[in-house]
Each structure stands twice: as C-alpha cells, then as structure tokens.
Amino acid sequence: MTAPSSSTGGPFTDELRQWALSEIAAARAPDEVLRELIARGIPEELAVDELTRLLESRLAELKQQREPAPHGTAEGHATADIQPAAEIQHVPQPLTAETSNLIRVDGREVSVLMQLKHPRVIVFGNLLAQDECDKLIALAKPRITASSVIDMQSGGNRQDEGRTSSGMAFRRGETKLIERIERRIAALLQWPYENGEALQILRYAVGQEYKPHYDYVDPTQPGALPFLARGGQRVASLVMYLNTPPRGGATNFPDVGLEVAAVKGNAVFFSYDRADPSTGTLHGGMPVIAGEKWVATKWLRVSRTDP
Ligand code: PD2
Ligand code: ZN
C-alpha cells in the first residue's frame, strides 16, 4: 500500500513524507523520526501531527494485511482485496495561543481553554459575545423544527432516534450578524468562508440528546454522493454554545473520555483528516438534565459549498 498521495503543502514536503514513511517501514523508533523532522526545520506541532498520521495509516495498513480474507475471496490473493485507506484531507489549522493565552480575532479576545492532539480538539472561550448568542437564539426560535440526519441511502434527510433535538439552518451570510460570526470563524480556523456550511442552530429540551456519531459522511454509501458533490467531505466541526444549561448537555468524545461543558459563548472545535473512526472523533451531545441547551454548529468542507 502506498503513502497518501495528497500533499499537505508547506514545510512538510512529499519528499519528507516519503522519507518518514521509509523510516517507519524500516521500524525506526518514532521519537527518533520526530527528532529528525524537527532538526530538518519542521515545527514540532506539525511534525507530531504528520508523524501521527503516517503511523496511523501504517498501522491500518498492517491491520488490513493481517485480517483474514473475507468470505468468497480466494486465499493467497489477500493483498488484492485490501480496501484503500480513507483518503487523507487537509484540515483547518486554527489560530492557537502559541505565544499568548489570547487570540485576537474580529476585535475579540478569544481564549484557548483546552487542546487535545488526538483527536484534535480545541475548546475556545469567548468566541461569541453574550448578546450575539441571545440574538442567534431569537432569530432561530420561530423557525425550528425536528432535527434530521443525512440518509446515507438516498442522500436526502430523515429523522433519527439518535438525534432528538430540534433545529434549523440559516443561509450563509443571511444577516449582518451571521456573516460577521461566520467571517470570524473563518479567520480563527484559517479556513475559507466559502467552505463553511450554513450555520445550523439546535435546541435540546430536557432529556434530548445527540447520540455519538461522526460528522463526516461515509463515502462508500450511495447517499453520500450528492453531499460530496457539493463541497466535498467535512473535515472539521465547530460547536458553539449559545447558553449555559443548568445541568447536562456536554459535548462528549467517548473514545477519549472527554466531556466539554456547554458554556455560553464558548465553542469546541475538532478536525478529522479522513472519513474514518481512527480519527477518534466519535462525539455526541449528552442529554440535557435541567433547562435547555442551544448550540450553533459550523461544519467545514474541503471545498466551496452551498451558501
Ligand atoms: O450539541 C452538541 O453538543 C453536539 C454534539 C455532537 C452537536 C453536534 N454533534 C453536531 O451538531 O454535529
Ligand atoms: Zn456532530
């Protein structure tokens, strides 16, 4: 199996990637490879991210090679049956507080409250002003209906017992306030405004939840095609909290035991460079225990998508 063909650009060139892959294949210790990448001028964070990706795809490759041939396939031709690993995509690399605890964006001081490397999760504080949260709720309230999910057979929408909230979507740039928030998000995440899906608002009442799921679509399902044709795969999500529920409603990442509390004005960002559970981005909205919970979600695509 070959290395991912797409280049991430920047200092981590295809040549360096090939070199790192050959070192991994030769069973060189990852910390030595990492040290050498840093010595070759790759910033530490980028070197860790890229090396993690290469190691994961190598492990996935080895795992596939060890799995028995599925029923109906000829023994001895196992390698011909290996599925290609999920395509690796560029993902947003948000501005993070490397030198200061605050990030200046759109005249606001956004803080980084927590960062996790794998899965890549960042919790931002003060991304939205309190009155911006209130205005988004007021604009959405008259338009909300029962939430749906993408039907992976037809490509349309359907209701699902795993998602019991209600919600609505604005058009991108629908009002001055919405456009301002969307441009702020684009600046913070360093990802084009046009690659962001329309802002979606969700309301959860007591007992309502969004069971753990992935935000990318499974590209092998027929219903994924119309979705992928308009902007490509999702590569990151930003869930912004519009109120602080008195109890419950955290966003959880069960694979790593992380629960992000819903606090008004804060947001949780996570990225996934491939449509695969190895990203560790299984996540859910935990049941609201008291009060209600309002969020605004922005999904980021590989390419420009519908407004
Ligand atoms: O409301 C949430 O916390 C939540 C959790 C998981 C929202 C989403 N996913 C989503 O909108 O995709
Ligand atoms: Zn989600």
Side-chain angles (χ1 to χ4, degrees), residues 35 49 52 65 87 103 161 169 192 194 215 232 240 246 255 273 291:
R35 238 177 291 132
D49 284 352
T52 305
Q65 284 169 4
E87 194 182 342
I103 301 163
E161 58 174 18
E194 293 78 13
D215 283 351
M240 294 162 277
D255 286 353
D273 64 1

Side-chain angles (χ1 to χ4, degrees), residues 112-188:
V112 174
L113 300 177
M114 200 257 349
Q115 289 200 63
L116 194 65
K117 295 280 182 210
H118 188 85
R120 178 74 163 142
V121 178
I122 308 174
V123 180
F124 292 109
N126 195 37
L127 177 59
L128 300 180
Q130 304 286 296
D131 69 311
E132 289 177 330
C133 295
D134 299 339
K135 283 179 190 154
L136 285 179
I137 293 176
L139 280 172
K141 215 171 225 172
R143 291 163 57 179
I144 59 172
T145 57
S147 296
S148 54
V149 296
I150 301 168
D151 185 309
M152 295 313 291
Q153 290 306 311
S154 68
N157 290 331
R158 64 170 173 81
Q159 306 217 319
D160 187 278
E161 58 174 18
R163 194 183 198 198
T164 51
S165 55
S166 40
M168 54 81 61
F170 292 114
R171 287 189 314 282
R172 198 168 57 216
E174 184 173 322
T175 68
K176 285 228 154 29
L177 170 73
I178 290 166
E179 180 171 353
R180 180 167 178 188
I181 292 170
E182 290 174 324
R183 293 208 180 273
R184 183 183 310 157
I185 294 169
L188 177 69

Side-chain angles (χ1 to χ4, degrees), residues 3-18 37 42-43 45-54 87-93 190-191 273-274:
S5 58
S6 63
S7 165
T8 55
F12 203 83
T13 58
D14 279 336
E15 197 187 336
L16 260 187
R17 180 175 293 105
Q18 287 308 329
L37 286 172
I42 306 299
E45 196 175 330
L46 179 63
V48 169
D49 284 352
E50 293 289 351
L51 188 57
T52 305
R53 259 181 233 138
L54 294 177
E87 194 182 342
I88 297 180
Q89 310 282 6
H90 293 267
V91 300
Q93 301 292 344
Q190 305 194 88
W191 202 250
D273 64 1
R274 64 195 83 178

Side-chain angles (χ1 to χ4, degrees), residues 186-227:
L188 177 69
L189 303 186
Q190 305 194 88
W191 202 250
Y193 169 84
E194 293 78 13
N195 296 18
E197 287 184 36
L199 202 62
Q200 179 206 240
I201 306 291
L202 293 178
R203 173 189 179 264
Y204 302 78
V206 168
Q208 292 185 340
E209 65 181 320
Y210 194 174
K211 292 219 168 87
H213 60 277
Y214 297 98
D215 283 351
Y216 54 74
V217 300
D218 179 350
T220 64
Q221 297 291 304
L225 286 175
F227 177 89

